[in-house]
Amino acid sequence: MSRVNDYLELVRAPAILTVFGDTLAGGSAAGHMLSGRRIALPLASACLYAGGMALNDYSDRGTDADERPERPIPSGRISARAALCAASTLTVAGLALSATGGGRRAFALAIPLATSIWTYDLLAKNYAVPGAITMGTCRALDVLMGAGFGHLRPALAAAGIMGGHTIAVTLLSRGEVEGTTTVIASSAAASTGLLAGAVVAGTLGTRSRTLAVLAAAATYAARCMPAQARAAREPVAGNALEATKAGIRAMVPLQAALTLRHGNVAAGVVIASIDLVGKILRSRPRGSRISES
């Protein structure tokens, strides 16, 4: 069982929950319901994300030996070769699941998504702005994979919102060890407010739908904006780390808001359930090594 826990830590298992809603948001925008083979698409996102996390640790194994010696690779619990094998296997699984769930139209977007993930982990993350843009592109492509090639236009807004949030979180995450800056943290907080407003402003339909979207958007802002504001006031490493974690967790209610604004209540309920599972995982005893950052 400890071996399983080591791999769960390698891929940052709790954080994987934050990608299930991407394809639901994209699919909702394109008018797709979560049924039949399309259930495989969130699983495709999860595999691609987990593969990226394993590849991230493989790429960072030298740095982690100094800064995070407790991580699976530098601690010797998982070899670098095994981590690379896990990353490759999960990526292939993600591509296969995308084809299963969405056919050629989803697979056509899974290919550039996987390419962007590997580009980020092996090259782009070494540069602040290009790295953040690449990571945002990964999240946007994940949303678009839910819509499928040929149905991209209605999902572009959702993809842009998720991508924009991801860019802000990625820039903040660069300060987890040595601290961030007031400008970066303030910009992240401002982007949270703007994105929440954009989600609500783009809602069409009944009063009940608008209220549901408003509630989800408010939850999104409340979950990450306070931590971002603290990092802006005091941009030390600890606050940057907490703001990053909050930004990752806030992706789930943001996805819920994006699905609800297109009237896909079933997908919204699924995402709410995922959020509950995430809270349960985060309530694990502090001795657990499995983390999301």
Side-chain angles (χ1 to χ4, degrees):
M1 189 63 183
S2 61
R3 186 68 169 172
V4 173
N5 285 336
D6 290 341
Y7 275 98
L8 289 175
E9 183 183 355
L10 178 73
V11 301
R12 294 166 175 80
I16 294 175
L17 295 174
T18 67
V19 299
F20 283 112
D22 284 347
T23 53
L24 298 183
S28 297
H32 302 313
M33 300 303 293
L34 182 63
S35 60
R37 295 189 305 170
R38 292 193 64 82
I39 295 175
L41 286 178
L43 298 177
S45 297
C47 286
L48 291 170
Y49 184 93
M53 290 294 98
L55 184 63
N56 177 77
D57 271 24
Y58 171 81
S59 179
D60 281 354
R61 62 193 185 280
T63 302
D64 284 346
D66 295 326
E67 298 179 353
R68 300 181 180 90
E70 74 282 358
R71 292 294 299 163
I73 296 178
S75 67
R77 288 179 282 127
I78 294 178
S79 69
R81 181 177 180 179
L84 182 59
C85 181
S88 301
T89 301
L90 286 165
T91 298
V92 172
L95 291 172
L97 284 167
S98 73
T100 299
R104 288 178 294 178
R105 292 185 173 184
F107 185 72
L109 289 156
I111 290 292
L113 170 56
T115 301
S116 297
I117 291 171
W118 280 66
T119 298
Y120 173 81
D121 285 324
L122 298 179
L123 178 63
K125 71 177 181 179
N126 296 318
Y127 307 94
V129 175
I133 292 174
T134 302
M135 184 62 84
T137 299
C138 291
R139 185 66 70 154
L141 286 170
D142 200 29
V143 173
L144 293 176
M145 184 172 69
F149 196 79
H151 297 89
L152 299 183
R153 181 172 294 181
L156 288 176
I161 288 171
M162 288 303 304
H165 176 76
T166 302
I167 289 173
V169 172
T170 304
L171 288 172
L172 256 178
S173 71
R174 297 184 68 86
E176 291 178 5
V177 176
E178 298 180 355
T180 184
T181 68
T182 297
V183 172
I184 290 176
S186 298
S187 297
S191 71
T192 296
L194 290 173
L195 292 174
V199 174
V200 176
T203 303
L204 299 174
T206 64
R207 180 183 178 186
S208 60
R209 179 186 297 185
T210 301
L211 290 175
V213 173
L214 182 60
T219 301
Y220 155 66
R223 187 164 295 183
C224 62
M225 191 178 286
Q228 293 166 343
R230 283 194 296 273
R233 290 193 301 269
E234 190 176 0
V236 297
N239 286 342
L241 175 60
E242 290 306 311
T244 299
K245 289 182 177 180
I248 293 172
R249 296 167 185 165
M251 290 180 178
V252 182
L254 180 57
Q255 293 159 343
L258 290 170
T259 59
L260 290 171
R261 80 172 182 170
H262 291 286
N264 195 340
V265 178
V269 171
V270 170
I271 294 174
S273 301
I274 291 172
D275 198 28
L276 178 60
V277 171
K279 290 179 180 179
I280 293 173
L281 287 176
R282 290 195 295 273
S283 68
R284 288 167 59 95
R286 288 184 177 272
S288 171
R289 290 191 299 255
I290 301 174
S291 65
E292 61 187 350
S293 178

